[in-house]
């Protein structure tokens, strides 16, 4: 990947937060059991080097809801990441009119409105990945492919 701006989905944002809090929790924390610490490392490699990470309010809301727990470290780390990310707002009416809305929901339909080859999406959601490819072959990257390396 040789782009300078990327969107990440809510699941990867949760992986990033959990890993930043404590890499050893990746694989055991209930929200990131599908991942291993090496997946966290790959994600960090993909978004470092001065790449701008873009999110939407809906992604942040989903991640916040997934991270809600007795351990406030996760939401504190999310707050830090919000400060360093670039937030793009998509009107819900716009997202609701996207053809992917009835299959994928509001958050993903909003992403489909803004992803592009210049600002691709990194996702673990295969249905979202396939839908994003409609915007061009380089508009999305399926993070799951890296998990088998």
């Amino acid at each position: 990947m040789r782009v300078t701006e990327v969107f990440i989905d809510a699941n990867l944002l949760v992986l990033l937060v959990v890993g930043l809090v404590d890499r050893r929790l990746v694989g055991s924390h209930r929200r990131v059991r599908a991942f291993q610490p090496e997946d966290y490392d790959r994600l960090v490699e993909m978004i470092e080097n001065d790449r701008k990470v873009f999110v939407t309010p809906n992604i942040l809301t989903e991640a916040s809801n997934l991270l809600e727990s007795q351990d406030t470290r996760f939401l504190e780390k999310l707050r830090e990441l919000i400060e360093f990310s670039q937030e793009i707002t998509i009107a819900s009416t716009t997202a609701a009119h996207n053809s992917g809305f009835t299959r994928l929901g509001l958050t993903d339909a909003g992403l489909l409105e803004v992803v592009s080859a210049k600002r691709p999406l990194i996702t673990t959601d295969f249905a979202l990945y396939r839908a994003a490819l409609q915007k061009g072959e380089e508009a999305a990257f399926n993070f799951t492919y890296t998990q088998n390396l």
Side-chain angles (χ1 to χ4, degrees):
M1 240 175 155
R2 291 189 162 87
V3 294
T4 59
E5 302 175 342
V6 295
F7 279 95
I8 61 173
D9 70 10
N11 290 324
L12 290 176
L13 183 56
V14 170
L15 171 62
L16 183 60
V17 168
V18 171
L20 287 169
V21 167
D22 186 344
R23 183 182 180 274
R24 296 170 298 180
L25 293 174
V26 175
S28 63
H29 183 279
R30 68 186 179 112
R31 297 298 186 183
V32 292
R33 283 191 186 127
F35 298 103
Q36 295 303 312
E38 296 78 17
D39 297 321
Y40 164 74
D41 297 339
R42 281 188 205 93
L43 177 60
V44 169
E45 284 178 25
M46 293 174 83
I47 63 174
E48 67 182 359
N49 298 325
D50 297 324
R51 282 196 181 98
K52 291 182 183 171
V53 175
F54 284 77
V55 293
T56 67
N58 296 45
I59 290 170
L60 294 172
T61 300
E62 282 191 20
S64 174
N65 289 340
L66 291 169
L67 288 165
E68 191 173 353
S69 71
Q70 303 290 19
D71 190 340
T72 60
R73 296 180 300 166
F74 299 115
L75 290 179
E76 289 168 359
K77 187 56 70 176
L78 178 61
R79 180 180 16 222
E80 289 176 28
L81 288 174
I82 290 169
E83 294 290 327
F84 293 102
S85 63
Q86 303 289 316
E87 189 172 358
I88 302 289
T89 302
I90 302 101
S92 295
T93 54
T94 301
H97 284 95
N98 183 283
S99 62
F101 176 75
T102 56
R103 289 186 334 274
L104 303 170
L106 185 64
T107 299
D108 293 351
L111 276 169
L112 294 175
E113 289 292 320
V114 294
V115 299
S116 66
K118 178 185 176 219
R119 199 177 286 156
L121 170 66
I122 305 172
T123 184
T124 58
D125 181 328
F126 188 70
L128 175 57
Y129 166 72
R130 284 187 35 176
L133 290 179
Q134 300 296 317
K135 306 269 304 230
E137 189 173 304
E138 296 180 355
F141 181 81
N142 186 345
F143 187 80
T144 307
Y145 291 158
T146 70
Q147 290 183 276
N148 300 321
L149 298 177

